[in-house]
Amino acid sequence: MRLLSSLIFICFVFAAWAQEPPNITPSQGKYNPERTKKNDLIHTKLELRPNWDKQQMYSVATITFKPHFYPQSVLELDAKGFDVQMVRMKNKELKFDYNQRLLKIDLGKTLTRKDSAQVQIVYIAKPNELPAGGSEAITADKGLYFINADGSDPEKPRQIWTQGETEANSCWFPTIDSPNQKTTLEIFITLDKRSVDAKYLTLSNGKLISSKVNSDGTRTDYWRQDKPAAPYLTMIAVGDFRKVVDPNYKKFEVSYYVEPKFEKYAMNIFGRTPEMISYFENLLGVGYQWDKYSQIAVREYVSGAMENTTATVHGDFVQKDNHQLADDNDDGVIAHELFHHWFGDLVTAESWANLPLNESFANYSEYLWTAHKYGQDEADLVAYIAFNQYFSEVQEKQEPLIRYHYNDKEDMFDSHSYAKGGRILHLLRKQVGDEAFFASLKLYLTQNAFKTGEIDQLRLAFELVTGEDLHWFFDQWFMKSGNPDLQVIQEYTNGKLKLVINQIQDTTYSTLYRLPLQVEIWSNNQKSVHEILVDKFTNTFEWNLQTSPQMVYLDPENTLVGRVLFQKNKEDYIYQYYHAERVPARLNALEILTYVPEGDSMVVSPALDKDIRKVLIDATRDKFWRVRQLAVQKLYDYDGDDFLEVERALQSRVQNDERSYVRADAIIAMKGFQNSQNDKLFRAALNDTSYTVQAAALEAILGSRPTDAAELVKKYENSYNTAIFSAVANYFSEESAPERFNWYIKHLSKMSGGDLYQVLGIFGTYLVKSSPEIQAKSLPLLKKIATKDTQWYVRFAGLQTLALLSDLKEAKDIIKEVIATEKDQRLQKVYQQYKDL
């Protein structure tokens, strides 16, 4: 499972040191053990007939099972919201009790663990009648989703898809919906004649065994997976997809399912998958164990992506044309879901408390693949982002990675399980060395293949390989909450450098850490690296140096999952920028040198300082694009000494930078400069391969209200790219012309998900400046968004836009209705602040 994520962000956490490190109590929920196994699933056969009109699934499930150990006379299956019509065994009807959540089947006899049995359940799944649920990571939990079922929206394809994690697959088929179960699969999907005539494709787990057109014009596709996997990894998808089989892989089928208009881009989107498979196989020493590997992009997906065995589902954000791919690809999420086919699918965390055994590894795969394919600098950026994601969350939440006392299993899907866990695995790799690390992973995977795992099994694999007791490592990093907070005090006297390192974290719920670390020391422009062990509250280290050190840097390879308070002056950070080899250290130096407290309008721009300005200008030529981008951003709207030198540096980025993000930000940084030469640069950038650069250029040009503004706008106003739409929409919002209203409605009606969320604010600006008549005309669309959109955050944006129009009685009435009918508990809490409207 890949979490929903926004565009690249770098949140910098050194400002958190302005206050004491937070002391946050871990969750005190009830103990959540592995689910007791009364019976074991063996095989699941599903005969499915989707009903588009009713958005229901007419089904027959045949479940083969056996008692786990103790004799059983009852089979309990999770089955949410079904119309259960019949349960039978060997054509004999069985008695059952059903409370709309749990189906208890009286087997009519007692089975022992030597027996296996088969029951057949005839039922109708009604996902839309289930109570609304979901979490921040997975925004809905009804399992089965019909998209544009009646075909009334011409801009949206008709699709069916499923999402099983955590325990939502029991919303469309009866099963023991627990990660400690494993089952093989047969899935028969019978499509109606309309779907057959439209040449809809199906996708499910395993191989497509047959596709048969029936006498009534329907078609039945038969999928089979002979290797067992957890029930939550079962999936189906139906719709107007184009299947592209990757010609570069021959061991088994690797294929990509996309909407027709993206068929020609499928290889550019997913085409590095075969190389990823080979890389991960070689790295782990364990081959890919499944029958095929397919990836599919669906509309209105309720998460980022999902690692269903042999058939990963992605949100439609991965569907990009070559202009969008000029900015970036989605290798991170593609690698993440593929790596799950070892960690999560082959070996599955036995309980949600052990989720990091799935997600920490998948998160770490993003780093591994990036280092292999794109180099250490790019991998360092992946690690830096993960580091900051975790420390952003730490301000509000501190939990052990392995936690049994959660309040809700969905709480496990956070930056602890993902980002922190990935960083801890890297720390473990550094502790034992590369050879031992990957040998231990191979042992863990082979010992537990097609089974489940818990954290102690991972520890034991590492101990067996290394011959070392690693309780101390797993206890402090996996079983305890929090992280080390280090205070570093530096002194140099009489030819000796003295470092005092204090562990200052609150140990009420955390611990005193054992931290093997490196210290990088620069003296006389010569570097030396020293190994140290920080394992006490106060630790003192000394080195003989002929001259005062120019730089002392703790943890130069950025492996520590902790915070370091090390007070330095401006000159120290300037030296750090010019001499640090790794990207995070250079980003760190630039961030601190240019730090301005949020909301403090009295602080003078740091770029006005001559020394800092020189660093920023030099940093626009840094070897790594993200450092260049940050430097460019810090020179936004510069107006001070050496203006021409700053301007030339930014112009050079627009003209020559290889990364579109840097080119775009350089344009934005210069859009307020009064120089006709820049207008020529901006107009040339309208022909850039990247939509992001085109949009930045358009925004900069339109901001000066040129005489040909109307002509330019006309050229781009029909674009449905979000960035270009935003540039045009911002221009229209300034003039707030009534005739632009239909243009907004036309475009917004075709947007969804993150794209719609991003642009509703611009529409709100337009409406606030518009007449009451125009505002009133917007209410039907805003009501539809606020009440009907499948994504909770989009509904919230719809309500926020409605709140801007609260002077209208009709808007107030809609706001009341939205608040009264919202079923999502997260939004119910947030909406309390809007009740006064």
Side-chain angles (χ1 to χ4, degrees):
M1 168 67 66
R2 181 58 137 56
L3 299 179
L4 287 164
S5 60
S6 57
L7 298 176
I8 283 181
F9 74 95
I10 300 291
C11 59
F12 197 69
V13 297
F14 73 86
W17 283 109
Q19 46 193 306
E20 289 295 315
N23 178 20
I24 298 175
T25 304
S27 297
Q28 301 296 310
K30 66 179 178 65
Y31 180 68
N32 296 279
E34 176 188 8
R35 183 168 172 176
T36 299
K37 289 189 279 189
K38 298 177 182 178
N39 291 290
D40 292 336
L41 295 174
I42 298 173
H43 183 71
T44 301
K45 176 183 175 183
L46 302 176
E47 298 168 81
L48 307 173
R49 189 181 294 267
N51 185 314
W52 292 87
D53 294 332
K54 294 183 177 180
Q55 299 186 44
Q56 297 175 353
M57 188 71 77
Y58 290 68
S59 315
V60 178
T62 304
I63 309 297
T64 307
F65 68 99
K66 71 177 195 62
H68 179 74
F69 186 83
Y70 298 108
Q72 301 292 331
S73 59
V74 174
L75 173 64
E76 296 182 355
L77 297 174
D78 299 291
K80 302 184 179 83
F82 293 171
D83 177 2
V84 179
Q85 299 175 335
M86 182 188 301
V87 179
R88 58 194 173 206
M89 178 188 289
K90 295 181 179 179
N91 294 319
K92 178 183 177 182
E93 290 197 29
L94 299 178
K95 296 178 181 179
F96 62 89
D97 290 323
Y98 182 48
N99 63 2
Q100 293 297 302
R101 303 289 293 180
L102 192 66
L103 178 63
K104 295 183 178 181
I105 303 171
D106 183 347
L107 299 174
K109 59 182 177 179
T110 299
L111 303 177
T112 73
R113 63 181 181 273
K114 296 180 180 179
D115 301 317
S116 64
Q118 195 175 81
V119 296
Q120 191 174 73
I121 302 118
V122 180
Y123 68 98
I124 302 173
K126 303 177 179 181
N128 291 351
E129 297 181 16
L130 291 167
S135 66
E136 201 164 323
I138 308 167
T139 60
D141 62 358
K142 64 181 182 179
L144 174 64
Y145 299 82
F146 289 79
I147 307 303
N148 193 26
D150 60 3
S152 60
D153 186 344
E155 303 300 330
K156 189 182 297 182
R158 296 172 79 229
Q159 294 178 352
I160 299 171
W161 47 262
T162 60
Q163 165 56 35
E165 198 171 32
T166 46
E167 296 172 8
N169 269 346
S170 51
C171 296
W172 62 279
F173 69 92
T175 187
I176 304 174
D177 206 350
S178 176
N180 64 352
Q181 291 284 337
K182 298 269 182 168
T183 180
T184 53
L185 294 168
E186 288 181 283
I187 298 181
F188 297 80
I189 309 170
T190 298
L191 302 183
D192 62 14
K193 189 175 185 304
R194 177 180 175 184
S195 301
V196 174
D197 291 344
K199 298 182 179 179
Y200 283 5
L201 299 182
T202 68
L203 177 65
S204 191
N205 308 81
K207 290 183 177 180
L208 179 62
I209 304 302
S210 64
S211 183
K212 177 185 175 184
V213 177
N214 304 310
S215 59
D216 60 357
T218 63
R219 188 185 84 228
T220 300
D221 290 354
Y222 169 34
W223 294 86
R224 186 175 71 209
Q225 180 173 283
D226 293 329
K227 296 179 179 180
Y232 76 87
L233 297 168
T234 306
M235 68 81 67
I236 63 166
V238 179
D240 184 14
F241 298 104
R242 295 294 183 269
K243 178 183 177 181
V244 177
V245 177
D246 198 312
N248 300 314
Y249 201 75
K250 304 300 182 183
K251 290 183 180 179
F252 50 83
E253 180 187 298
V254 174
S255 54
Y256 319 122
Y257 290 70
V258 294
E259 292 176 30
K261 67 179 179 180
F262 291 99
E263 181 178 11
K264 62 183 177 182
Y265 307 115
M267 289 297 296
N268 292 341
I269 296 167
F270 297 112
R272 292 162 300 285
T273 300
E275 184 181 350
M276 289 183 190
I277 294 172
S278 297
Y279 170 64
F280 289 147
E281 286 182 326
N282 292 332
L283 191 68
L284 296 170
V286 178
Y288 180 88
Q289 297 294 303
W290 308 97
D291 295 325
K292 73 167 189 311
Y293 189 54
S294 298
Q295 297 174 80
I296 189 168
V298 302
R299 292 289 188 100
E300 298 184 12
Y301 194 48
V302 294
S303 190
M306 182 63 208
E307 65 276 10
N308 310 295
T309 45
T310 77
T312 285
V313 176
H314 294 280
D316 66 346
F317 65 88
V318 300
Q319 294 187 132
K320 295 176 178 176
D321 62 24
N322 289 339
H323 289 288
Q324 294 165 302
L325 290 167
D327 292 333
D328 215 345
N329 60 41
D330 289 296
D331 273 18
V333 65
I334 293 170
H336 182 113
E337 303 308 329
L338 173 61
F339 208 63
H340 266 310
H341 280 70
W342 286 267
F343 295 93
D345 294 12
L346 182 60
V347 182
T348 307
E350 68 171 18
S351 64
W352 301 118
N354 282 274
L355 182 69
L357 289 175
N358 298 356
E359 296 302 347
S360 297
F361 279 102
N363 179 275
Y364 190 45
S365 75
E366 301 172 36
Y367 175 91
L368 293 171
W369 168 253
T370 302
H372 167 76
K373 182 67 175 179
Y374 302 108
Q376 189 61 54
D377 283 350
E378 287 286 356
D380 280 347
L381 180 60
V382 170
Y384 189 62
I385 292 172
F387 177 92
N388 283 293
Q389 285 174 334
Y390 165 64
F391 278 103
S392 177
E393 186 173 85
V394 155
Q395 303 305 310
E396 299 177 352
K397 176 180 186 178
Q398 293 188 19
E399 303 284 351
L401 281 189
I402 306 300
R403 60 198 111 138
Y404 291 92
H405 290 277
Y406 54 75
N407 293 307
D408 188 313
K409 60 186 179 297
E410 307 299 333
D411 296 342
M412 292 295 302
F413 293 80
D414 59 12
S415 289
H416 285 62
S417 294
Y418 286 73
K420 182 183 182 182
R423 292 292 82 218
I424 297 305
L425 290 174
H426 187 66
L427 198 61
L428 179 58
R429 176 183 173 187
K430 290 297 181 181
Q431 174 65 34
V432 302
D434 279 13
E435 185 177 1
F437 180 78
F438 291 109
S440 300
L441 297 189
K442 179 180 180 180
L443 181 61
Y444 170 75
L445 290 170
T446 53
Q447 284 182 333
N448 302 291
F450 301 107
K451 302 175 186 176
T452 60
E454 60 177 303
I455 191 64
D456 284 336
Q457 289 167 290
L458 181 66
R459 174 182 56 80
L460 289 170
F462 271 87
E463 290 182 344
L464 192 61
V465 168
T466 63
E468 299 179 3
D469 187 301
L470 291 169
H471 266 98
W472 67 270
F473 185 97
F474 280 77
D475 183 62
Q476 71 181 22
W477 289 115
F478 286 96
M479 307 307 296
K480 295 288 177 63
S481 65
N483 49 263
D485 291 325
L486 304 183
Q487 178 193 56
V488 183
I489 302 169
Q490 172 184 330
E491 296 179 7
Y492 178 77
T493 55
N494 301 322
K496 282 194 173 183
L497 169 66
K498 179 181 177 181
L499 277 191
V500 178
I501 303 178
N502 298 312
Q503 294 197 42
I504 62 174
Q505 68 274 5
D506 189 301
T507 56
T508 304
Y509 303 105
S510 186
T511 189
L512 177 66
Y513 285 84
R514 176 182 174 186
L515 303 171
L517 294 171
Q518 290 184 332
V519 179
E520 182 178 307
I521 301 172
W522 284 77
S523 180
N524 285 327
N525 290 321
Q526 296 295 315
K527 180 182 77 169
S528 60
V529 179
H530 305 269
E531 306 284 342
I532 64 173
L533 177 64
V534 175
D535 60 354
K536 305 177 185 68
F537 283 112
T538 298
N539 307 263
T540 303
F541 307 93
E542 291 185 348
W543 296 274
N544 293 321
L545 291 180
Q546 292 181 350
T547 61
S548 178
Q550 295 157 300
M551 181 175 80
V552 177
Y553 196 83
L554 188 66
D555 188 36
E557 294 187 0
N558 306 289
T559 59
L560 176 66
V561 185
R563 291 171 292 194
V564 178
L565 174 60
F566 195 167
Q567 293 189 354
K568 302 180 181 182
N569 58 32
K570 180 180 76 173
E571 289 70 26
D572 293 330
Y573 285 112
I574 290 174
Y575 193 91
Q576 178 176 314
Y577 169 74
Y578 285 112
H579 292 83
E581 297 176 5
R582 304 295 280 265
V583 165
R586 299 203 301 280
L587 288 171
N588 174 279
L590 289 186
E591 287 280 15
I592 293 179
L593 286 169
T594 59
Y595 175 64
V596 175
E598 187 175 350
D600 192 341
S601 59
M602 302 302 292
V603 177
V604 175
S605 169
L608 295 174
D609 180 291
K610 181 179 180 181
D611 297 329
I612 295 176
R613 181 168 62 254
K614 181 181 184 306
V615 174
L616 289 174
I617 291 172
D618 289 343
T620 64
R621 298 185 292 272
D622 193 276
K623 66 177 183 177
F624 187 60
W625 70 270
R626 175 56 191 148
V627 180
R628 299 195 302 273
Q629 182 188 31
L630 180 60
V632 163
Q633 291 168 343
K634 298 298 183 178
L635 292 170
Y636 172 79
D637 206 22
Y638 179 77
D639 186 13
D641 294 342
D642 302 321
F643 174 83
L644 292 179
E645 186 178 0
V646 170
E647 186 176 41
R648 283 194 295 272
L650 294 173
Q651 289 170 338
S652 176
R653 292 305 95 207
V654 175
Q655 293 173 305
N656 303 314
D657 206 281
E658 63 185 17
R659 286 303 294 254
S660 59
Y661 290 137
V662 182
R663 299 196 300 274
D665 280 350
I667 291 170
I668 296 301
M670 288 196 299
K671 70 178 183 178
F673 293 1
Q674 303 299 315
N675 184 338
S676 60
Q677 293 302 311
N678 290 337
D679 185 73
K680 294 179 181 178
L681 274 182
F682 300 159
R683 289 177 182 270
L686 291 173
N687 297 314
D688 197 280
T689 55
S690 161
Y691 286 139
T692 301
V693 176
Q694 292 179 28
L698 188 61
E699 178 182 332
I701 295 168
L702 294 176
S704 64
R705 292 296 191 269
T707 56
D708 63 342
E711 182 180 341
L712 273 175
V713 166
K714 187 172 182 61
K715 179 179 178 182
Y716 289 95
E717 65 182 8
N718 291 322
S719 172
Y720 284 92
N721 174 263
T722 304
I724 292 177
F725 167 82
S726 296
V728 176
N730 273 316
Y731 177 79
F732 286 160
S733 70
E734 290 299 318
E735 61 180 27
S736 295
E739 60 269 21
R740 300 301 183 189
F741 176 79
N742 289 336
W743 177 85
Y744 275 103
I745 297 299
K746 175 184 175 184
H747 281 73
L748 293 174
S749 297
K750 295 182 179 182
M751 292 184 176
S752 61
D755 290 343
L756 182 57
Y757 176 79
Q758 289 181 53
V759 302
L760 275 174
I762 303 173
F763 185 46
T765 301
Y766 168 81
L767 291 174
V768 166
K769 297 179 181 181
S770 297
S771 67
E773 290 74 21
I774 291 294
Q775 293 175 354
K777 288 174 65 176
S778 72
L779 296 181
L781 175 63
L782 293 177
K783 178 180 178 180
K784 178 182 177 182
I785 293 171
T787 59
K788 302 295 186 183
D789 198 276
T790 58
Q791 305 291 351
W792 68 268
Y793 57 91
V794 179
R795 297 199 301 277
F796 179 45
L799 182 89
Q800 287 179 307
T801 309
L802 281 166
L804 297 174
L805 311 180
S806 58
D807 288 343
L808 296 178
K809 180 183 181 302
E810 300 95 319
K812 283 186 178 180
D813 292 341
I814 293 173
I815 291 171
K816 290 179 182 178
E817 181 181 345
V818 170
I819 293 173
T821 58
E822 179 58 58
K823 296 180 181 180
D824 189 286
Q825 292 182 353
R826 292 160 299 180
L827 291 184
Q828 288 174 347
K829 294 177 182 178
V830 173
Y831 285 175
Q832 296 302 311
Q833 63 184 297
Y834 291 94
K835 283 194 170 181
D836 292 341
L837 294 178

